Amino acid sequence: MNRRYGLALIGILTSSSALATEPVQPIEPYQASNQAKVELGKKLYFDPRLSKSGFISCNSCHNLSMGGTDNMPTSIGHNWALGPINAPTVLNSSLNLAQFWDGRAKDLQEQAGGPIANPKEMGFSHSLAVNVLETIPGYKQAFQQVYTNDRIGIDQVTDAIAAFEETLVTPNAPFDQFLKGDESAISDTAKAGYARFKSVGCTACHNGQALGGNSFQKMGLVKPYKTDNAAAGLSAVTGKEIDRFKFKVPTLRNVELTYPYFHDGAVWSLEEAVDVMAELQLGQKLKQQEIGEIVAFLKTLTGDQPNFRLPQLPPSTNDTPRPDPG
Amino acid sequence: MNRRYGLALIGILTSSSALATEPVQPIEPYQASNQAKVELGKKLYFDPRLSKSGFISCNSCHNLSMGGTDNMPTSIGHNWALGPINAPTVLNSSLNLAQFWDGRAKDLQEQAGGPIANPKEMGFSHSLAVNVLETIPGYKQAFQQVYTNDRIGIDQVTDAIAAFEETLVTPNAPFDQFLKGDESAISDTAKAGYARFKSVGCTACHNGQALGGNSFQKMGLVKPYKTDNAAAGLSAVTGKEIDRFKFKVPTLRNVELTYPYFHDGAVWSLEEAVDVMAELQLGQKLKQQEIGEIVAFLKTLTGDQPNFRLPQLPPSTNDTPRPDPG
């Protein structure tokens, strides 16, 4: 072994070994196994005909031009209804242990059916949505190709949407490059922020590839969180009082893009979010400089955003049920 | 000159000479002279922060996944208001002699300012929209690069949107390939439909590259058109009674995608639209077969749809005014 190769190997081992002890891991690019299904799901994701009005698509509230969110406290839905809770980002959502803030959907497929039938979101029903798709030859062909069935089913619709959503990981964030050994990928301030993020204890909940999404935690663990929002959290699913006000820990990936923050979307700045979290969850009052360092670190978590051509939707026909805004 | 070259030349001359006498001309691809301006305009076109609610963008009602329309009779706007008139397609709108159904905007730039400030559309104001953009570093830099000004102005916002919209032409429709000499590009039924389209007199108004968009005509020229829609048409702009119920002739390019039809969006099928037009505008009652032929022709007018990567919008900052759904 020549010296140059040996040094490089030591570098890799050191970096790899350092990586293994970090509470945060890099996100890896996703390789879709069924590209036809992904393309079908992408069309469905952008298609407002899955809503009663013909105006609202998955992308309306999980906007892939805006970090997979709508950047509003709670979403606007059918008939301009305001939703009960902040729309979480769809980016990296395949890494979540469950879907929705209260985890009531076990996976992306189960989640995808929720908004379609929610009167305050897309305001439709599963059977009506399928009826629309059945009349559109471009969809009929695509479903037949992917599922080799004669009739479209809602399970196929949500399966295809989930397959598309699984592609929406955001690798190559500056912080991931740093984790992989590129010391110059993030600033010294961000490095100090990451050290503090760990020492303060944020990584107790915000860890793993997604820096969150892998546990439920009480909002207001040390001090109570005050909100007008009525969401009960995990207790609405388990029926257990001990789970009241427990929510799925949100991912911090792309957090610079996913404002406003918390399940009620009440906080708009990362500085305030860090300040509140440290005090309410960890009982620590951070200094402005410390907050600034952590925010600098959080801004290194923005990875590669969705990168694909705007899908073209197959046109309706004379048989297609018409949109109903009322 | 060898025989082969000579025959090819005769073919070109015949085709070119035939083309010159046709009432319809092919659409040519658009070459943008200022790509940075187009990219900026594309972002603005997709950005819901140009609306009061932060929910509605240009693309909401002129959806580039759906033929540049929303496929609704009239659009859903701020606070779920229903608009007064059908949203015309943005595709090939640069070929229109003026913008809006009544032509009240002289060009795309003037048009782009309308919806932003319309209380039933984006519900914002020009100055508030500019205030939002001013706080977003990604936009500040882009405007400085394109316009070399320190302050963003609404004229720059609409100029950039118009520059993007100018790229939205749809060349290479099967009918264009036919016009350029490829006899196999459309079916015999479509060819018969085109012949009838001309002989019936449709080309009196639906002519040129866009098959429309280049004149104002009275809706219900021979027989009155019955509608609940209150739009007065060109007379609202000119103040002349003779212009009452005159509307800009809509383009027939991509008409298979731009349902429902007419300024009130009252008719959903191409068959009915052709039937009504022939009777009301030309005083002719067409047979079902004739209508079918013309519809087959109309479906050959679907050209290359917008083909670009979903834009990524620069994030807001702590200084950015917040969206207001109320």
Side-chain angles (χ1 to χ4, degrees):
Chain A
M1 189 185 293
N2 69 35
R3 179 178 156 77
R4 192 166 175 185
Y5 178 72
L7 279 178
L9 187 61
I10 289 167
I12 289 169
L13 289 173
T14 313
S15 164
S16 162
S17 139
L19 198 54
T21 65
E22 292 298 334
V24 181
Q25 288 82 43
I27 284 187
E28 299 303 328
Y30 181 82
Q31 297 294 336
S33 58
N34 188 338
Q35 195 58 38
K37 190 192 281 188
V38 168
E39 291 302 321
L40 172 58
K42 186 192 295 174
K43 285 187 168 72
L44 295 168
Y45 189 90
F46 278 85
D47 202 325
R49 287 171 295 186
L50 292 182
S51 68
K52 179 170 186 266
S53 64
F55 187 62
I56 297 179
S57 70
C58 305
N59 194 61
S60 297
C61 301
H62 303 281
N63 192 322
L64 297 177
S65 298
M66 311 199 310
T69 69
D70 53 10
N71 293 144
M72 305 177 68
T74 66
S75 298
I76 291 172
H78 187 78
N79 210 17
W80 212 256
L82 296 183
I85 205 158
N86 182 258
T89 179
V90 68
L91 300 179
N92 306 303
S93 56
S94 60
L95 302 173
N96 290 338
L97 82 166
Q99 303 300 330
F100 294 118
W101 282 95
D102 58 12
R104 67 184 181 276
K106 71 175 186 297
D107 56 23
L108 286 174
Q109 183 182 10
E110 191 172 318
Q111 189 282 332
I116 293 173
N118 187 321
K120 285 188 164 187
E121 298 186 22
M122 297 165 87
F124 219 18
S125 79
H126 290 174
S127 61
L128 291 172
V130 166
N131 287 351
V132 166
L133 298 175
E134 276 280 345
T135 65
I136 300 170
Y139 276 127
K140 280 294 277 185
Q141 289 163 16
F143 275 96
Q144 274 171 340
Q145 186 195 345
V146 173
Y147 296 101
T148 61
N149 275 358
D150 271 353
R151 299 274 310 171
I152 299 172
I154 189 66
D155 288 348
Q156 298 170 346
V157 174
T158 54
D159 179 64
I161 292 172
F164 168 62
E165 291 175 339
E166 281 170 9
T167 69
L168 301 174
V169 294
T170 62
N172 299 320
F175 185 70
D176 286 346
Q177 296 165 28
F178 168 75
L179 276 180
K180 290 179 173 180
D182 180 359
E183 288 282 334
S184 68
I186 67 173
S187 69
D188 287 344
T189 309
K191 288 175 198 168
Y194 177 49
R196 194 162 307 279
F197 184 78
K198 292 190 282 189
S199 65
V200 168
C202 308
T203 46
C205 300
H206 293 287
N207 55 45
Q209 279 193 311
L211 298 93
N214 50 1
S215 69
F216 294 91
Q217 301 291 344
K218 185 176 176 187
M219 179 67 167
L221 197 59
V222 176
K223 295 186 186 177
Y225 179 69
K226 290 176 185 164
T227 179
D228 295 333
N229 189 289
L234 185 62
S235 62
V237 178
T238 64
K240 296 177 183 171
E241 187 57 29
I242 197 171
D243 289 333
R244 179 169 298 277
F245 233 49
K246 280 189 187 168
F247 295 95
K248 189 180 59 187
V249 176
T251 177
L252 296 183
R253 291 279 176 184
N254 312 293
V255 70
E256 183 183 8
L257 308 179
T258 61
Y259 52 88
Y261 305 109
F262 304 156
H263 71 279
D264 57 358
V267 167
W268 286 82
S269 84
L270 271 177
E271 289 79 3
E272 185 179 350
V274 169
D275 187 30
V276 169
M277 278 285 100
E279 187 166 4
L280 269 52
Q281 304 302 102
L282 299 163
Q284 302 198 40
K285 185 67 194 164
L286 298 180
K287 295 175 188 158
Q288 283 305 307
Q289 185 197 329
E290 296 168 331
I291 291 172
E293 288 167 354
I294 292 176
V295 168
F297 155 64
L298 293 174
K299 289 185 177 178
T300 70
L301 295 172
T302 305
D304 290 346
Q305 296 303 297
N307 184 12
F308 54 77
R309 291 182 183 279
L310 186 73
Q312 292 299 323
L313 307 182
S316 297
T317 61
N318 294 349
D319 297 328
T320 307
R322 295 167 190 171
D324 176 9
Chain B
M1 187 186 294
N2 67 35
R3 180 180 154 78
R4 192 165 174 182
Y5 178 71
L7 279 178
L9 188 62
I10 289 169
I12 290 168
L13 289 173
T14 313
S15 165
S16 161
S17 139
L19 199 53
T21 64
E22 292 298 333
V24 181
Q25 287 84 45
I27 285 187
E28 300 302 329
Y30 182 82
Q31 298 293 337
S33 57
N34 187 337
Q35 196 57 39
K37 189 192 282 187
V38 168
E39 291 302 320
L40 171 58
K42 187 191 295 174
K43 285 186 167 72
L44 294 167
Y45 188 90
F46 278 84
D47 203 323
R49 288 171 295 187
L50 292 182
S51 69
K52 179 170 185 269
S53 64
F55 187 62
I56 298 177
S57 71
C58 304
N59 195 62
S60 297
C61 302
H62 302 281
N63 192 323
L64 297 177
S65 299
M66 312 198 310
T69 69
D70 53 10
N71 294 143
M72 304 177 71
T74 67
S75 297
I76 289 172
H78 187 77
N79 210 14
W80 213 257
L82 296 183
I85 205 158
N86 182 257
T89 180
V90 68
L91 301 179
N92 305 303
S93 57
S94 59
L95 302 173
N96 290 338
L97 83 166
Q99 303 301 329
F100 295 116
W101 282 96
D102 59 10
R104 67 184 182 275
K106 70 175 185 299
D107 56 23
L108 286 173
Q109 182 181 10
E110 192 171 317
Q111 189 281 331
I116 294 173
N118 188 322
K120 287 189 163 186
E121 299 185 21
M122 296 165 87
F124 220 20
S125 78
H126 290 174
S127 61
L128 291 172
V130 165
N131 287 350
V132 166
L133 299 175
E134 276 281 345
T135 65
I136 300 170
Y139 275 128
K140 281 294 278 185
Q141 289 164 14
F143 275 96
Q144 274 171 341
Q145 184 196 346
V146 172
Y147 295 103
T148 63
N149 276 358
D150 272 351
R151 298 273 311 170
I152 298 172
I154 188 66
D155 289 348
Q156 297 169 346
V157 174
T158 53
D159 179 62
I161 292 172
F164 168 61
E165 291 175 338
E166 281 170 9
T167 69
L168 301 174
V169 295
T170 62
N172 300 321
F175 186 69
D176 287 347
Q177 295 166 26
F178 168 74
L179 277 179
K180 290 178 173 180
D182 180 359
E183 289 281 332
S184 69
I186 67 174
S187 69
D188 287 342
T189 309
K191 288 174 197 168
Y194 177 48
R196 195 162 308 277
F197 185 77
K198 292 191 283 188
S199 65
V200 168
C202 309
T203 45
C205 299
H206 293 288
N207 56 44
Q209 280 193 308
L211 298 93
N214 51 3
S215 70
F216 294 91
Q217 301 291 344
K218 186 177 175 186
M219 179 67 168
L221 197 59
V222 175
K223 295 185 186 178
Y225 179 70
K226 290 175 187 165
T227 180
D228 294 333
N229 189 288
L234 186 61
S235 61
V237 178
T238 64
K240 294 178 184 171
E241 187 56 28
I242 197 172
D243 289 333
R244 178 168 298 278
F245 233 49
K246 280 188 188 169
F247 294 95
K248 189 180 61 188
V249 176
T251 177
L252 297 182
R253 290 280 177 184
N254 312 293
V255 71
E256 185 183 7
L257 308 179
T258 62
Y259 52 88
Y261 305 107
F262 305 156
H263 70 280
D264 57 359
V267 167
W268 286 80
S269 84
L270 271 177
E271 289 78 4
E272 185 180 350
V274 168
D275 187 31
V276 169
M277 278 285 101
E279 187 167 4
L280 269 52
Q281 303 302 101
L282 298 163
Q284 301 198 39
K285 187 64 193 165
L286 298 181
K287 296 173 188 157
Q288 283 305 308
Q289 185 196 331
E290 297 168 329
I291 291 172
E293 289 167 353
I294 292 175
V295 167
F297 156 64
L298 293 175
K299 290 184 176 178
T300 70
L301 295 171
T302 304
D304 290 346
Q305 296 302 296
N307 184 10
F308 54 78
R309 291 182 183 277
L310 186 73
Q312 291 300 323
L313 306 182
S316 297
T317 61
N318 294 348
D319 297 329
T320 306
R322 296 169 190 170
D324 177 9

